[in-house]
Amino acid sequence: MGTESYQATLYQRPTSSAGKEKAMSDSQEWLIQWIRDAHAMEEQAETMLDGQLNRLENYPELSGRIRQHVEETKGQAARLKTCLEEMGEDTSTLKDAGGKLIAWGQSFSGLFAGDEVMKGSLASYTFEHMEIASYTMLIAAAKSLGEAKVAQACEQNLREEEAMADWLRQHLPGTTEQFLARADAESDEAKR
């Protein structure tokens, strides 16, 4: 099998539900793949945030903001799914499941960290910036391809991600101080 045949076998253009081949540019195909990736990213974020919530009873402000962001995250995933449906496409079950599996593993690994709230805060802040970069890229691609609805949905998602990243940045010093105070109090109690 020649290289061209092999590449053609590996990469076939998406087909519609009727099975007819779509006349779609490579750029449009990339946009669809990136939207699917973003949807999987939001599925991963929801699982990761839900895992953190179960162990933040001593951090009510952080817990409340994460709870709010879980709802925003669900809305973001729904907007992306709508964008795909309007383009005649669907989400990637494999990518969504993979993202959830990774998040579950991240959540489970936090059970063994004495400073879980701090590691979770670092992971969340980092993840928010990955999402910000993803939506910035998607907005540029959607605008370039004249996909105004996709750009609009991604702009809304971007605003929510930027707000969450900003909130985390502003509250990280307070969360750190609260963690250290709790650690000292628990250490003093253990010495008695």
Side-chain angles (χ1 to χ4, degrees), residues 34-137:
W34 293 340
I35 296 169
R36 285 182 178 136
D37 290 345
H39 185 271
M41 175 180 68
E42 295 304 345
E43 294 286 321
Q44 179 179 354
E46 181 183 346
T47 302
M48 184 178 73
L49 293 169
D50 279 339
Q52 284 181 331
L53 272 176
N54 296 328
R55 297 181 297 275
L56 290 177
E57 66 275 351
N58 296 312
Y59 300 86
E61 190 175 16
L62 178 60
S63 178
R65 184 60 178 98
I66 288 177
R67 203 172 308 284
Q68 176 187 339
H69 195 55
V70 166
E71 293 308 311
E72 291 170 345
T73 299
K74 289 176 183 178
Q76 292 166 5
R79 281 190 286 278
L80 293 169
K81 184 174 182 177
T82 298
C83 288
L84 287 167
E85 288 170 352
E86 289 179 359
M87 298 171 85
E89 301 292 335
D90 200 0
T91 60
S92 170
T93 304
L94 185 60
K95 287 181 182 184
D96 289 351
K100 285 184 177 191
L101 183 62
I102 290 168
W104 181 82
Q106 291 167 327
S107 182
F108 182 72
S109 70
L111 290 172
F112 304 107
D115 61 345
E116 178 185 10
V117 69
M118 300 313 303
K119 286 185 173 45
S121 293
L122 290 171
S124 293
Y125 187 69
T126 302
F127 201 85
E128 293 304 324
H129 283 85
M130 182 181 72
E131 291 173 306
I132 289 167
S134 178
Y135 287 120
T136 301
M137 179 181 80

